[in-house]
Amino acid sequence: MLPVVCTSAPQADPVLSQLNLVIRPMSSSPPIHGAQLVMKILGNEARLSAWKKELSGMADRILEVRSQLRAGLEKKGTPGTWRHITDQIGMFSYTGLTTPQCERLIKDHHIYLTKFGRISLAGLNNGNIQYMVDSIDEVVRALPPITSKL
């Protein structure tokens, strides 16, 4: 951070212009150390193998969390269908919860997700998956989605 104090707006304009000339290349050109780090890992057979093993382990853990979440909701009889949890891929999941249900999860259960139902599964594990299941079950039962009668 570089604070600059100018005594007038006419004086500040050229100073800002010069600062922008310095800042622009910094933000437009990524630093090389990230690429060097990747090359250090992927360019070495032993490190590449270890990275692939760790990556596979993380992906398998996310798949397991998805399975546990779906199975827990279905076992509990939570209203709704939960197949979409295991049909999706990646570390984020769209829960299918409504905005009021998400707000209740945040306010009452301290489970943080977007108000549109997107949540990171990376924070779930064997120690908290049941709390997640119980919390989703509670909000779905307390705030059932409004269905149209058309």
Side-chain angles (χ1 to χ4, degrees), residues 59-105:
D60 290 346
R61 191 185 81 74
I62 294 294
L63 290 173
E64 181 62 24
V65 164
R66 285 183 180 280
S67 291
Q68 289 175 340
L69 182 58
R70 177 182 172 185
L73 292 167
E74 289 175 346
K75 181 179 177 184
K76 201 166 182 75
T78 304
T81 58
W82 302 102
R83 182 176 175 197
H84 61 278
I85 292 173
T86 53
D87 286 348
Q88 298 171 37
I89 59 170
M91 65 180 267
F92 291 93
S93 180
Y94 176 69
T95 61
L97 299 176
T98 65
T99 297
Q101 291 168 339
C102 293
E103 289 171 343
R104 187 173 177 121
L105 270 180

Side-chain angles (χ1 to χ4, degrees), residues 9-24:
Q11 186 184 34
D13 290 338
V15 171
L16 180 58
S17 175
Q18 290 301 305
L19 288 174
N20 283 333
L21 289 174
V22 172
I23 294 169
R24 172 91 174 140

Side-chain angles (χ1 to χ4, degrees), residues 113-129:
L113 68 166
T114 67
K115 292 183 181 177
F116 302 105
R118 186 170 179 260
I119 191 164
S120 171
L121 298 173
L124 295 178
N125 57 53
N126 290 334
N128 62 17
I129 194 77

